[in-house]
Amino acid sequence: MIPAAFEYHPATSVDEAIALLSQYGDDAKLLAGGHSLIPTMKLRLAQPAHLIDIGRIPGLSYIQEEPGVVAVGALTTYATIERSEVLRRHFALLPECASVIGDPQVRNRGTIGGSISHADPSADMPGAVRALKAEIRVRGPQGERSIAADDFFLGTFTTALEPGEMVTEIRFPLPPERTGSAYMKLANKASHYAVAGCAAVVTLGADGTCTAASVVITGAGTLPTRAAAVEAALLGKKLDEATVAEAASHAAEGLELMEDIHGSKQYRAQMACVMARRAILKAAERAQG
């Protein structure tokens, strides 16, 4: 449980962090909250020679409502997201998601930017960010760019970040009226990671039918995956229990399912359907109310 030797670099600005990343390349890792990186270092699954601490960089922890979007700084903690009335008002699933991550110690230190950059397939926040169709802003040696959440997660612990880049902000577009969202998961009792989870966002028309749906499954597969078949089955229909149950039965389609001591592929597929049904029904209830 003792990490390999490393050099510690406390960065005081984004530019300094990027310069250190460029200098040390693959031998460097960014440290934000540390709740994913430090355990892997203690087990020596990760052995970076250089640790770049970005936790003290000012100006990267905030929640700001702007025209058409809510901007969240990369170093904003889960606890801050959980308590945010702005996020609760527009995107109920984000505080809901943050509230079931780990334990209070993890929520007080872990950050949204760290979570999506790490891209653990069993983490909660990547699925929520993708379901809300966020825009992820990153900065690197070549300057700033934006990546759609649908294009950000490439595989297990793999993202679209280029060498030397770091996430600086996540931007959530404001939803139309009569939109509801929810997050549900079957949690591992020890780690609280998702064995299977679902982030759902639905918009209802004046007649009560579904005009838009965004459903993402996490935990069950190798990356947070959009449940396109579920989304298609919801559109144009009133979201009663029978309709939602039929749509949710397709939740495992397209998933590259995982299997481990916590659940077989078949179990995870079934739980993905169950969590999808629960999340969609909750989102529809919020959209109506």
Side-chain angles (χ1 to χ4, degrees), residues 26-241:
D26 292 340
D27 290 330
K29 288 286 187 182
L30 293 178
L31 174 70
H35 284 285
S36 296
L37 179 59
I38 297 302
T40 60
M41 289 176 63
K42 286 184 175 182
L43 293 171
R44 302 212 174 190
L45 298 173
Q47 299 186 38
H50 300 272
L51 207 56
I52 303 167
D53 187 350
I54 62 172
R56 302 178 190 181
I57 296 177
L60 288 182
S61 177
Y62 55 84
I63 298 172
Q64 296 174 177
E65 189 168 359
E66 301 175 3
V69 300
V70 174
V72 179
L75 292 184
T76 306
T77 65
Y78 305 135
T80 301
I81 292 170
E82 182 182 1
R83 294 191 297 263
S84 171
E85 289 301 321
V86 170
L87 294 178
R88 194 176 304 279
R89 184 167 68 250
H90 295 298
F91 321 99
L93 81 81
L94 269 180
E96 189 168 59
C97 175
S99 72
V100 296
I101 295 174
D103 52 33
Q105 291 90 336
V106 169
R107 294 193 290 274
N108 282 329
R109 291 289 299 168
T111 67
I112 183 172
S115 177
I116 65 173
S117 299
H118 188 55
D120 190 314
S122 297
D124 304 284
M125 199 57 73
V129 167
R130 189 169 185 188
L132 290 168
K133 299 184 178 179
E135 171 192 313
I136 299 165
R137 291 197 170 176
V138 306
R139 194 188 304 178
Q142 306 305 316
E144 294 184 330
R145 66 185 181 113
S146 295
I147 308 171
D150 272 342
D151 300 324
F152 187 79
F153 302 100
L154 304 181
T156 302
F157 303 113
T158 306
T159 71
L161 286 170
E162 296 290 343
E165 287 186 330
M166 61 177 281
V167 174
T168 56
E169 184 179 79
I170 302 92
R171 298 175 67 82
F172 297 94
L174 292 177
E177 293 184 2
R178 293 175 61 81
T179 295
S181 62
Y183 181 72
M184 296 284 180
K185 74 171 177 179
L186 173 66
N188 178 302
K189 296 299 182 183
S191 68
H192 299 281
Y193 278 113
V195 176
C198 177
V201 185
V202 297
T203 302
L204 305 181
D207 61 355
T209 60
C210 178
T211 59
S214 179
V215 180
V216 174
I217 304 299
T218 191
T222 56
L223 75 164
T225 303
R226 181 167 299 284
V230 177
E231 295 171 346
L234 295 173
L235 291 177
K237 298 175 183 175
K238 293 192 175 181
L239 303 186
D240 55 48
E241 290 201 14

